[in-house]
Amino acid sequence: MTNTKPSVAGTAPHLGTRALNRATLDRQLLLRPARISAAAAVEHLVGLQAQNVKPPYYALAARLDGFAPEALSRLMADREVVRIVTMRSTVHTHTADDCLTLRPLVQPARDRELTQFRKGLAGVDLDRLAALARELVETEPRTMKQLREALLREWPDADPQALSVAARCRLPLVQVTPRGLWGRSGQVSLTTAEHWLGRPAGPAATPDAVVLRYLAAFGPASVRDMQAWAGLTRLRDAFERLRPRLVTFRDEGGVELFDLPDAPRPDPDTPAPPRFLPEFDNLLLSHADRTRVVPPEYRGRSWQGNFAYCTLLVDGFLAGLWRLEEHALVIEPFGRLTGAQRDEVTAEGERMLRTMHPETPYDIRFGAVRAA
């Protein structure tokens, strides 16, 4: 185990990239399949990135022992988890409790987001817009198109997109089922979190409490790392208040990292099995410095424009892309894999396919090494 003793200024122990990698993988339930429920995993991970429907399911398949997609789908159908815009202004799958407390925490960021649309909202009373939008979506769930058209009748000179963005920013709008259910289709229809869950929003989670949860799921981490994950600024004060309860380290660039004293920090040589991650997995998005998972030479390789690829981890680091075709799991590594690594990747691919598509036969194919 890495040194975990509290440090004084100037004497913080050093954590190399591999040590950070193994610690983060452990917190992310990616070193070994976790024997916990889907609900417990969603809570521990402080939500799952969910711009699309399938990524949360694949994210849990990579992390949990005995996971079945129906487990998360059932939680969503029972309104124990929901899809809502929270961190970084992106859709996340959260537990109901987190939905009602994390969304108020990030509300100031959603309010600031609206400043980008002020020209299209000239003359619009945002309080009145929020009240009208709430009445509309609580009467019956509405698509963004339906909501936009209704709001345009009140403000015909406003920019239509700006009106719908304003409703999304001012209100905690959740996507109602069947959207998000495994094996079901459905357009995005929205209502308020309070209406869908049948209870009022709780007090906003405190920054201090969320810092502790972030470190438990993503640490060790810097202040900038957490700000990148949350899409919030000015979190330094929360870290300073918590400093007496935390331990500190320095990364290879000398940046101060904070952590929970008793959090796992495995030996850097701990084996890390291959993992198939979905597009937008939070592992790759939740630090300002992503080199703990993304080698510098592969930076930007998991994206093309606004499109994100499904990613493959080998030895704990980004090592390639994958996709499902009609009859095949196609793996495109970024570099040459050893024979042993190919065998391990194949075995993990088979495990993922048994979990996610037990009734569908797939071949596993390695494509050509994907050059930059």
Side-chain angles (χ1 to χ4, degrees), residues 70-125:
E70 293 75 15
L72 179 60
S73 192
R74 186 164 53 251
L75 291 171
M76 195 161 294
D78 292 343
R79 308 189 189 189
E80 294 181 44
V81 302
V82 295
R83 296 166 54 83
I84 184 172
V85 171
T86 52
M87 283 81 73
R88 305 187 299 278
S89 193
T90 56
V91 179
H92 279 69
T93 294
H94 285 295
T95 65
D97 288 344
D98 278 349
C99 164
L100 294 171
T101 57
L102 288 176
R103 174 55 194 245
L105 174 70
V106 301
Q107 187 58 46
R110 303 290 69 76
D111 293 337
R112 287 194 300 274
E113 186 180 345
L114 276 181
T115 62
Q116 304 172 38
F117 298 88
R118 69 167 70 90
K119 183 177 179 181
L121 294 169
V124 175
D125 181 330

Coordinates of all heavy atoms in Angstrom, one line a residue, residues 70-125:
E70 N -31.4 -5.8 -16.5 CA -32.7 -5.7 -15.9 C -32.7 -5.1 -14.5 O -33.6 -4.4 -14.1 CB -33.4 -7.0 -15.9 CG -33.8 -7.6 -17.2 CD -32.6 -8.2 -18.0 OE1 -31.5 -8.4 -17.3 OE2 -32.7 -8.4 -19.2
A71 N -31.5 -5.2 -13.8 CA -31.4 -4.7 -12.5 C -31.5 -3.2 -12.5 O -32.2 -2.5 -11.7 CB -30.1 -5.1 -11.8
L72 N -30.8 -2.5 -13.4 CA -30.8 -1.1 -13.5 C -32.1 -0.6 -14.1 O -32.7 0.4 -13.7 CB -29.6 -0.5 -14.3 CG -29.6 1.0 -14.5 CD1 -29.5 1.7 -13.2 CD2 -28.4 1.3 -15.4
S73 N -32.6 -1.4 -15.1 CA -33.9 -1.0 -15.7 C -35.0 -1.0 -14.7 O -35.9 -0.1 -14.7 CB -34.2 -2.0 -16.9 OG -35.2 -1.5 -17.7
R74 N -35.0 -2.0 -13.8 CA -36.1 -2.1 -12.8 C -36.0 -0.9 -11.8 O -37.0 -0.4 -11.4 CB -35.9 -3.4 -12.0 CG -37.0 -3.7 -11.1 CD -37.0 -5.2 -10.7 NE -35.7 -5.6 -10.2 CZ -34.9 -6.4 -10.8 NH1 -35.3 -6.9 -12.0 NH2 -33.7 -6.8 -10.3
L75 N -34.8 -0.5 -11.5 CA -34.6 0.7 -10.6 C -35.2 1.9 -11.3 O -35.8 2.8 -10.6 CB -33.2 0.9 -10.3 CG -32.5 -0.1 -9.4 CD1 -31.0 0.1 -9.3 CD2 -33.1 -0.1 -8.0
M76 N -35.0 2.0 -12.6 CA -35.5 3.2 -13.3 C -37.0 3.1 -13.4 O -37.7 4.1 -13.2 CB -34.9 3.3 -14.7 CG -35.0 4.6 -15.4 SD -33.8 4.8 -16.7 CE -32.3 4.9 -15.7
A77 N -37.6 2.0 -13.7 CA -39.0 1.8 -13.8 C -39.7 2.1 -12.4 O -40.8 2.7 -12.4 CB -39.4 0.4 -14.2
D78 N -39.0 1.7 -11.3 CA -39.6 2.0 -10.0 C -39.2 3.4 -9.5 O -39.5 3.7 -8.3 CB -39.0 0.9 -9.0 CG -39.5 -0.5 -9.3 OD1 -40.5 -0.6 -10.0 OD2 -38.9 -1.5 -8.8
R79 N -38.6 4.2 -10.3 CA -38.3 5.6 -9.9 C -37.3 5.6 -8.8 O -37.3 6.6 -8.0 CB -39.5 6.4 -9.7 CG -40.6 6.3 -10.8 CD -41.7 7.2 -10.7 NE -42.7 6.9 -11.7 CZ -43.8 7.7 -11.9 NH1 -44.0 8.8 -11.3 NH2 -44.7 7.3 -12.9
E80 N -36.5 4.6 -8.6 CA -35.4 4.7 -7.6 C -34.1 5.3 -8.2 O -33.3 5.7 -7.4 CB -35.1 3.3 -7.1 CG -36.3 2.7 -6.3 CD -36.0 1.3 -5.8 OE1 -34.8 1.1 -5.3 OE2 -36.8 0.4 -5.9
V81 N -34.0 5.3 -9.5 CA -33.0 6.1 -10.2 C -33.6 6.9 -11.3 O -34.7 6.5 -11.8 CB -31.8 5.2 -10.7 CG1 -31.1 4.4 -9.6 CG2 -32.3 4.3 -11.9
V82 N -33.0 8.0 -11.7 CA -33.6 8.8 -12.7 C -32.5 9.4 -13.6 O -31.3 9.4 -13.2 CB -34.4 10.0 -12.1 CG1 -35.6 9.5 -11.3 CG2 -33.5 10.9 -11.2
R83 N -32.9 9.9 -14.8 CA -32.0 10.5 -15.7 C -32.2 12.1 -15.6 O -33.3 12.5 -15.9 CB -32.2 10.0 -17.1 CG -31.9 8.5 -17.3 CD -32.5 8.0 -18.6 NE -32.0 8.7 -19.7 CZ -30.9 8.5 -20.4 NH1 -30.0 7.6 -19.9 NH2 -30.5 9.2 -21.4
I84 N -31.2 12.8 -15.3 CA -31.3 14.3 -15.1 C -30.0 15.0 -15.4 O -28.9 14.4 -15.2 CB -31.8 14.6 -13.7 CG1 -32.1 16.1 -13.5 CG2 -30.8 14.1 -12.7 CD1 -32.7 16.4 -12.2
V85 N -30.1 16.2 -15.9 CA -28.9 17.0 -16.1 C -28.4 17.5 -14.8 O -29.1 18.2 -14.0 CB -29.3 18.2 -17.0 CG1 -28.1 19.2 -17.1 CG2 -29.6 17.8 -18.4
T86 N -27.1 17.2 -14.5 CA -26.5 17.6 -13.3 C -25.1 18.1 -13.6 O -24.9 19.2 -14.2 CB -26.4 16.5 -12.2 OG1 -25.9 15.3 -12.8 CG2 -27.8 16.2 -11.7
M87 N -24.0 17.3 -13.3 CA -22.7 17.8 -13.4 C -22.3 18.1 -14.9 O -22.7 17.3 -15.8 CB -21.7 16.7 -12.9 CG -21.6 16.7 -11.4 SD -22.9 15.8 -10.6 CE -22.5 14.2 -11.0
R88 N -21.6 19.1 -15.1 CA -21.1 19.5 -16.4 C -22.2 19.7 -17.4 O -22.0 19.6 -18.6 CB -20.1 18.5 -16.9 CG -18.9 18.2 -16.0 CD -17.9 17.2 -16.6 NE -18.4 16.0 -17.0 CZ -18.6 14.9 -16.1 NH1 -18.3 15.1 -14.9 NH2 -19.1 13.8 -16.6
S89 N -23.4 20.0 -16.9 CA -24.6 20.2 -17.8 C -24.8 19.0 -18.7 O -25.3 19.2 -19.8 CB -24.4 21.5 -18.6 OG -25.6 21.9 -19.2
T90 N -24.5 17.8 -18.2 CA -24.8 16.6 -19.0 C -25.7 15.7 -18.2 O -25.9 15.8 -17.0 CB -23.5 15.9 -19.3 OG1 -22.8 15.6 -18.0 CG2 -22.6 16.7 -20.1
V91 N -26.4 14.8 -19.0 CA -27.4 13.9 -18.4 C -26.6 12.8 -17.6 O -25.7 12.2 -18.1 CB -28.3 13.3 -19.4 CG1 -29.2 12.3 -18.8 CG2 -29.0 14.3 -20.2
H92 N -27.0 12.6 -16.3 CA -26.5 11.5 -15.5 C -27.6 10.7 -15.0 O -28.8 11.2 -14.8 CB -25.7 12.1 -14.3 CG -24.3 12.6 -14.6 ND1 -24.1 13.6 -15.4 CD2 -23.1 12.0 -14.2 CE1 -22.7 13.8 -15.5 NE2 -22.2 12.8 -14.8
T93 N -27.3 9.4 -14.7 CA -28.3 8.6 -14.0 C -27.9 8.6 -12.5 O -26.7 8.3 -12.2 CB -28.1 7.1 -14.5 OG1 -28.6 7.1 -15.9 CG2 -29.0 6.2 -13.7
H94 N -28.8 9.1 -11.7 CA -28.6 9.3 -10.3 C -29.6 8.5 -9.5 O -30.8 8.2 -10.0 CB -28.7 10.7 -9.9 CG -27.6 11.6 -10.3 ND1 -26.3 11.4 -9.8 CD2 -27.5 12.6 -11.1 CE1 -25.5 12.4 -10.3 NE2 -26.2 13.1 -11.1
T95 N -29.3 8.2 -8.3 CA -30.3 7.7 -7.4 C -31.3 8.8 -7.1 O -31.0 10.0 -7.3 CB -29.8 7.3 -6.0 OG1 -29.2 8.4 -5.4 CG2 -28.7 6.2 -6.2
A96 N -32.5 8.5 -6.7 CA -33.5 9.5 -6.4 C -33.1 10.5 -5.4 O -33.2 11.7 -5.5 CB -34.8 8.9 -6.0
D97 N -32.4 10.0 -4.3 CA -31.9 10.9 -3.3 C -30.9 11.9 -3.8 O -30.9 13.1 -3.5 CB -31.3 10.1 -2.1 CG -32.4 9.4 -1.3 OD1 -33.6 9.8 -1.4 OD2 -32.0 8.5 -0.5
D98 N -30.0 11.4 -4.6 CA -28.9 12.3 -5.2 C -29.5 13.2 -6.2 O -29.1 14.4 -6.2 CB -27.8 11.4 -5.9 CG -26.8 10.9 -4.9 OD1 -26.8 11.3 -3.7 OD2 -26.0 10.0 -5.3
C99 N -30.5 12.8 -6.9 CA -31.2 13.7 -7.9 C -31.7 14.9 -7.1 O -31.6 16.1 -7.6 CB -32.3 13.0 -8.6 SG -33.5 14.0 -9.4
L100 N -32.3 14.7 -6.0 CA -33.0 15.8 -5.2 C -32.0 16.6 -4.4 O -32.4 17.7 -3.9 CB -34.0 15.2 -4.3 CG -35.2 14.5 -5.0 CD1 -36.1 13.7 -4.0 CD2 -36.0 15.5 -5.8
T101 N -30.8 16.2 -4.3 CA -29.8 17.0 -3.5 C -28.6 17.5 -4.3 O -28.1 18.6 -4.1 CB -29.3 16.3 -2.3 OG1 -28.7 15.0 -2.8 CG2 -30.4 15.9 -1.3
L102 N -28.2 16.8 -5.3 CA -27.1 17.2 -6.2 C -27.5 18.3 -7.2 O -26.8 19.2 -7.5 CB -26.5 16.0 -6.9 CG -25.7 15.1 -6.1 CD1 -25.2 13.9 -6.9 CD2 -24.5 15.8 -5.4
R103 N -28.7 18.1 -7.7 CA -29.2 19.2 -8.7 C -29.2 20.5 -8.0 O -28.8 21.5 -8.6 CB -30.5 18.8 -9.3 CG -31.2 19.8 -10.2 CD -30.2 20.3 -11.3 NE -30.7 21.5 -11.9 CZ -31.1 21.6 -13.2 NH1 -31.1 20.5 -14.0 NH2 -31.5 22.7 -13.7
P104 N -29.8 20.7 -6.8 CA -29.7 22.0 -6.2 C -28.2 22.5 -6.0 O -28.0 23.7 -6.1 CB -30.4 21.8 -4.8 CG -31.3 20.7 -5.1 CD -30.6 19.8 -6.0
L105 N -27.3 21.6 -5.7 CA -25.9 22.0 -5.6 C -25.3 22.6 -6.8 O -24.6 23.6 -6.8 CB -25.1 20.8 -5.2 CG -23.6 21.0 -5.1 CD1 -23.2 21.9 -3.9 CD2 -22.8 19.7 -5.0
V106 N -25.7 22.1 -8.0 CA -25.1 22.6 -9.3 C -26.0 23.6 -9.9 O -25.7 24.1 -11.0 CB -24.8 21.4 -10.3 CG1 -23.9 20.4 -9.7 CG2 -26.1 20.7 -10.7
Q107 N -27.1 24.0 -9.2 CA -28.0 25.0 -9.8 C -27.3 26.3 -10.2 O -27.6 26.9 -11.3 CB -29.2 25.3 -8.9 CG -30.2 26.2 -9.5 CD -30.8 25.6 -10.8 OE1 -31.1 24.4 -10.9 NE2 -30.9 26.5 -11.8
P108 N -26.4 26.8 -9.4 CA -25.7 28.1 -9.8 C -25.0 27.9 -11.1 O -24.9 28.9 -11.9 CB -24.7 28.3 -8.7 CG -25.3 27.7 -7.5 CD -26.0 26.4 -8.0
A109 N -24.4 26.8 -11.4 CA -23.8 26.6 -12.7 C -24.8 26.6 -13.9 O -24.5 27.1 -15.0 CB -23.0 25.3 -12.7
R110 N -26.0 26.0 -13.6 CA -27.0 26.0 -14.6 C -27.5 27.5 -14.8 O -27.9 27.9 -15.9 CB -28.2 25.1 -14.2 CG -27.9 23.7 -13.9 CD -27.5 22.9 -15.2 NE -26.2 23.3 -15.7 CZ -25.0 23.0 -15.2 NH1 -25.0 22.2 -14.1 NH2 -23.9 23.4 -15.8
D111 N -27.6 28.3 -13.8 CA -28.0 29.7 -13.9 C -26.9 30.4 -14.8 O -27.3 31.2 -15.6 CB -28.1 30.3 -12.6 CG -29.3 29.8 -11.8 OD1 -30.2 29.2 -12.4 OD2 -29.3 29.9 -10.5
R112 N -25.6 30.2 -14.5 CA -24.6 30.8 -15.3 C -24.7 30.4 -16.8 O -24.3 31.2 -17.7 CB -23.2 30.5 -14.7 CG -22.9 31.2 -13.4 CD -21.5 31.2 -13.1 NE -21.0 29.8 -12.9 CZ -21.1 29.1 -11.8 NH1 -21.6 29.7 -10.7 NH2 -20.6 27.9 -11.7
E113 N -25.0 29.2 -17.0 CA -25.1 28.7 -18.4 C -26.1 29.5 -19.2 O -25.9 29.7 -20.4 CB -25.6 27.2 -18.3 CG -25.6 26.5 -19.7 CD -26.1 25.1 -19.6 OE1 -26.1 24.6 -18.4 OE2 -26.4 24.5 -20.6
L114 N -27.1 30.0 -18.6 CA -28.1 30.8 -19.3 C -27.6 32.1 -19.8 O -28.2 32.7 -20.7 CB -29.3 31.1 -18.4 CG -30.4 30.0 -18.3 CD1 -31.5 30.4 -17.4 CD2 -30.9 29.7 -19.7
T115 N -26.5 32.6 -19.2 CA -25.9 33.9 -19.7 C -25.5 33.8 -21.2 O -25.4 34.8 -21.9 CB -24.7 34.3 -18.9 OG1 -23.7 33.4 -18.9 CG2 -25.2 34.5 -17.4
Q116 N -25.2 32.6 -21.6 CA -24.8 32.4 -23.1 C -26.0 32.6 -24.0 O -25.8 32.7 -25.2 CB -24.3 30.9 -23.3 CG -23.1 30.6 -22.4 CD -22.8 29.1 -22.5 OE1 -22.8 28.5 -23.6 NE2 -22.4 28.5 -21.4
F117 N -27.2 32.6 -23.4 CA -28.4 32.7 -24.3 C -29.2 34.0 -24.0 O -30.4 34.1 -24.4 CB -29.3 31.5 -24.0 CG -28.7 30.1 -24.3 CD1 -27.9 29.5 -23.4 CD2 -28.9 29.6 -25.6 CE1 -27.4 28.2 -23.7 CE2 -28.3 28.4 -25.9 CZ -27.5 27.7 -25.0
R118 N -28.5 34.9 -23.3 CA -29.3 36.1 -22.9 C -29.9 36.9 -24.1 O -31.0 37.4 -24.0 CB -28.4 37.1 -22.1 CG -27.3 37.7 -22.8 CD -26.7 38.9 -22.0 NE -25.9 38.3 -20.8 CZ -24.6 38.0 -20.9 NH1 -24.0 38.2 -22.0 NH2 -24.0 37.6 -19.8
K119 N -29.2 36.9 -25.3 CA -29.7 37.6 -26.4 C -31.0 37.0 -26.9 O -32.0 37.7 -27.2 CB -28.7 37.6 -27.6 CG -29.1 38.3 -28.8 CD -28.0 38.3 -29.9 CE -28.5 39.1 -31.1 NZ -27.4 39.1 -32.2
G120 N -31.1 35.7 -26.9 CA -32.3 35.0 -27.4 C -33.4 35.0 -26.3 O -34.6 34.7 -26.6
L121 N -33.1 35.5 -25.1 CA -34.1 35.6 -24.0 C -34.4 37.0 -23.7 O -35.0 37.2 -22.6 CB -33.6 34.8 -22.8 CG -33.4 33.3 -23.0 CD1 -32.6 32.7 -21.8 CD2 -34.8 32.6 -23.1
A122 N -34.1 37.9 -24.5 CA -34.4 39.3 -24.3 C -35.9 39.5 -24.0 O -36.7 39.0 -24.9 CB -33.9 40.2 -25.4
G123 N -36.2 40.2 -23.0 CA -37.6 40.4 -22.7 C -38.4 39.2 -22.0 O -39.6 39.3 -21.7
V124 N -37.7 38.1 -21.8 CA -38.3 37.0 -21.1 C -38.1 37.0 -19.6 O -37.0 37.2 -19.1 CB -37.7 35.7 -21.7 CG1 -38.3 34.5 -20.9 CG2 -37.9 35.5 -23.2
D125 N -39.2 37.0 -18.9 CA -39.2 36.9 -17.4 C -38.9 35.4 -17.1 O -39.7 34.6 -17.2 CB -40.5 37.3 -16.9 CG -40.6 37.3 -15.3 OD1 -39.9 36.5 -14.7 OD2 -41.3 38.1 -14.8

